[in-house]
Amino acid sequence: MTQYITPDLCDEYPELVQVVEPMFNNFGGKDNFGGQIVTVKCHEDNSKVKELVGTDGTGKVMVVDGGGSLRHALLGDMLAEKAVSNGWEGLIIYGCIRDVDIIMQTDLGVQALATNPLKTDKRGLGDVDVVVKFGGVSFIPGEYVYADNNGIIVSPKALAMPA
């Protein structure tokens, strides 16, 4: 497993990285993760998140724009386990998650705004692989995101940790 340290990446690639405004908490079993961006834009409906965690996520990070809603959780333990089994590196959720005690034990990076025990409705709504914007940064499908306890950064290309 590659260890990503966002301050080192910022120092090594200052012309490439953008830093997401600090607002996220680390809830996953992996406290640092990175990979190619796959986006979901949804509001209080995690149908598309559920679909995507069932696909191959090797080398990928799902960035979920939940509009910053704190009223429902967009990720729970069952979806987190499915993400792990399909190789996802992690999820960054501009919204809430639930089942935190279990998610903290998974081999998955998860950053979110907060927790809320209430699940979402499943209405099949949402968009996949669209540009999403939050935290002062645009997340573009196919670009890269890296996250650790220091913060979240995005880059138009894959970054290697400095030697």
Side-chain angles (χ1 to χ4, degrees):
M1 174 180 96
T2 302
Q3 175 112 358
Y4 297 106
I5 302 167
T6 59
D8 291 350
L9 291 171
C10 286
D11 293 349
E12 186 72 14
Y13 306 101
E15 72 288 349
L16 287 180
V17 301
Q18 293 182 64
V19 178
V20 178
E21 294 168 358
M23 65 180 92
F24 289 87
N25 296 297
N26 214 341
F27 294 109
K30 285 174 30 178
D31 62 3
N32 71 76
F33 59 98
Q36 195 168 36
I37 296 170
V38 175
T39 63
V40 175
K41 185 175 181 78
C42 58
H43 184 72
E44 298 179 2
D45 179 347
N46 70 347
S47 300
K48 298 299 180 184
V49 175
K50 182 177 181 181
E51 286 176 22
L52 275 179
V53 296
T55 65
D56 182 15
T58 305
K60 299 175 185 171
V61 174
M62 189 184 309
V63 177
V64 181
D65 181 355
S69 173
L70 302 178
R71 299 189 308 202
H72 296 273
L74 295 171
L75 179 74
D77 60 340
M78 293 188 296
L79 295 186
E81 289 293 341
K82 186 175 262 195
V84 170
S85 68
N86 284 305
W88 287 89
E89 296 296 324
L91 289 92
I92 296 169
I93 300 179
Y94 186 49
C96 289
I97 68 165
R98 67 187 204 159
D99 303 314
V100 174
D101 295 328
I102 297 168
I103 290 174
M104 288 182 356
Q105 297 173 30
T106 65
D107 188 28
L108 184 68
V110 177
Q111 291 213 11
L113 296 179
T115 62
N116 186 320
L118 187 61
K119 69 180 180 177
T120 69
D121 292 327
K122 304 280 191 295
R123 300 180 310 271
L125 302 176
D127 297 305
V128 175
D129 282 334
V130 295
V131 175
V132 298
K133 298 177 183 181
F134 55 83
V137 171
S138 293
F139 295 87
I140 300 170
E143 292 194 350
Y144 291 82
V145 64
Y146 303 92
D148 65 9
N149 287 322
N150 296 291
I152 301 170
I153 61 174
V154 296
S155 169
K157 52 201 231 180
L159 303 177
M161 280 299 299

